[in-house]
Every structure is written in structure tokens, then in C-alpha cells.
Amino acid sequence: MAVGFIGLGVMGIPMASNLITAGHQLVVHRVRERSQPLVEQGAVAAGSPREVAEQCEVVICMLPDTPDVETVLFGEDGVAAGLAPGSLVVDMSSISPVRTVEFAGRITAAGSDYVDAPVSGGEVGARDGALTVFVGGDDAPVARAMPLLQVMGRKITHIGRVGAGQTAKVANQVIVAQTIQAVAEGLALARAAGVDPAVVRESLSGGFASSRILELHGQRMLDGTFEPGFRLRLHRKDLSLAQQAAEHLGITLPGTAVVAAQMDAALARDWGELDHSALIRLVSDEAAE
């Protein structure tokens, strides 16, 4: 089908590439040097989000934050202005669950459908078509989006109504953030005690502390390689979304607040473009001070 894809970043580029490989005709916006291979692969470049929507029955967004999605959908020459009745918007960005419900209402009031489908799995998952996808929306639009989601993801779960996907994603980010912090602290403790953290990590891998984060990010921490699979600043943004949702619901997230403060300290050291596993640098630096 004719699919629009807006948001050609670290994850968006491989996601879009996989859709082209699967046989879909892609229309993309804001092609830059790093996304030029998509055009060479067969994608068509459009001059605005509106032009993307005018040429496609489905428009996918994969953008950094809530204001970016709002601008792309409803700003001047936005997607909403170009949607034909019966079109489908699939937002795969990680944004506010509360605002997602608002955005969906505006799109459906104009005669189109809306699905929120944020993802987890980082650049590797995007490249391999192995993302975890959290889906929110009515049954019929979700069924319509599913063939596209299955190209990009491996574990795809319809969580519930619109906004439920974003709620599941912020829950995911809360758990991932606190697990990264736990792995960082555990390995830093081992190193400070003069115990080989690599051996500690290996010994934990078959026990109750075993996790994908210990496996993948634990190795990044040991190697000191923090090229971004998922940027620390974006994870901090996601924790803000979780904190805002919690405030809206009248609950507290004390563990999230602790990790958010750690991430703020890392951002103050200009580590925002590093992978979120770089939190171990902060723990190790504090231990050395």
C-alpha cells in the first residue's frame, strides 16, 4: 500500500527501509544525507507532511516528542490538512498518553482513524524488524495497521483503546530506566570492590538478576562503548512523560524520580547524545570522587 513515513531518525530510517523491502510504496518527508538511501531504495520525497498525507492511505509518525507530533499532524501544511476521509494515522513515537487521546479525537473527528503504536527495542530492533510494539486503538484500525506493524515488529500487543499503547510504553521506560540504573550500580560496586565486573555480570546471567539489559547494556558498560542505540536525553523525556501521566492520575513514582535525577546529572555533563547505558559513567565518576 501507499504509506507515508515521517520521522527519519536513528530508528525511523531502518523501520522505513523494512517497509520498502516488504513491498510498500513509501512517501517520506525531510530527507537528509543519512536518509538519502531510502530514496535510492525507492521512497518518494514529499515537501511537507500535508503532501505525504495527500499521497498515502496510511501515515506513520516516528518523532522525538509530543510537540513534534502535534506540529506534524496539526501545524501549517500538517498531515491533518492532507488526509482523505478513511485514512489512517499510526503514531509510533513515544509521547504523552494524555495528549495522544486528544490527537486521536481530532483526527477521528475529521473522518480518519488513529492508532498509537510506540515501540521498544532500539536501533538494533528497528534494523532487524524485531521491535516490541505497544498498540492502542479500536479493533478495525488496529487490524488495518497490523500488516505494517508486523514488518517492523516481532512482539505486537494490542493493549486497549487509544492511548493504551503510550501508557504501556511509558511503563516500559520506567522499568528499563530503573533496571539500567540497577545494573550500572551493581557493576560499579563490583569494580570499586576490586572484583572483575565482567565475571560478576557472567555469574548473574543465569540467576534471578538476569535480564536483556544485563546482557546487552551490561556489555556496553563493560566495554565503555556508548554509541546511541537509544539516546539518554530521549529516555529522560520518556520519564518526564511517565511523571506527567502519574501526576495526572494522582499517583507517585519514587523510583522513577531517583533515576530521572541521575539522568539530569548526566545531561548536565553533556551526555544526552550517548546511549542511556552511559549512566554507569555517572555512578563510576561519583564513586571515584
Side-chain angles (χ1 to χ4, degrees), residues 41-241:
Q41 194 178 351
V44 175
S48 70
R50 177 175 183 164
E51 288 184 23
V52 172
E54 288 173 342
Q55 299 178 57
C56 300
E57 56 189 290
V58 180
V59 177
I60 296 172
C61 295
M62 184 61 183
L63 298 160
D65 204 350
T66 308
D68 303 299
V69 174
E70 183 172 24
T71 298
V72 163
L73 292 181
F74 306 112
E76 185 177 357
D77 285 329
V79 166
L83 289 173
S87 299
L88 173 63
V89 173
V90 181
D91 182 27
M92 303 188 75
S93 321
S94 295
I95 68 168
S96 164
V98 177
R99 297 300 305 281
T100 289
V101 174
E102 175 192 330
F103 296 164
R106 294 171 69 178
I107 292 294
T108 56
S112 295
D113 291 318
Y114 193 102
V115 168
D116 58 298
V119 301
S120 179
E123 183 181 6
V124 173
R127 186 183 64 238
D128 295 343
L131 294 167
T132 296
V133 188
F134 313 98
V135 185
D138 293 338
D139 289 345
V142 169
R144 186 177 172 192
M146 195 60 70
L148 299 173
L149 300 180
Q150 289 170 338
V151 172
M152 297 176 282
R154 181 170 297 163
K155 181 175 176 59
I156 304 166
T157 306
H158 185 187
I159 307 294
R161 64 183 184 275
V162 165
Q166 296 293 352
T167 298
K169 176 57 190 290
V170 295
N172 178 85
Q173 297 303 79
V174 163
I175 294 168
V176 169
Q178 295 188 48
T179 307
I180 287 175
Q181 180 71 10
V183 171
E185 291 184 7
L187 296 182
L189 176 64
R191 182 178 288 116
V195 178
D196 187 341
V199 177
V200 170
R201 171 181 166 275
E202 181 62 28
S203 71
L204 297 177
S205 63
F208 211 53
S210 180
S211 69
R212 286 286 286 168
I213 290 171
L214 179 64
E215 176 189 350
L216 297 179
H217 288 332
Q219 190 63 54
R220 285 176 181 262
M221 294 174 188
L222 293 174
D223 295 340
T225 55
F226 302 115
E227 291 79 11
F230 187 64
R231 288 177 171 81
L232 196 150
R233 65 175 174 82
L234 293 178
H235 202 156
R236 178 62 182 95
K237 178 267 297 183
D238 289 345
L239 293 191
S240 292
L241 296 177

Side-chain angles (χ1 to χ4, degrees), residues 20-52:
I20 298 171
T21 299
H24 298 288
Q25 176 58 59
L26 239 64
V27 181
V28 297
H29 175 52
R30 287 187 176 175
V31 175
R32 300 289 187 263
E33 182 178 353
R34 65 179 179 179
S35 52
Q36 183 62 36
L38 293 174
V39 175
E40 297 167 2
Q41 194 178 351
V44 175
S48 70
R50 177 175 183 164
E51 288 184 23
V52 172

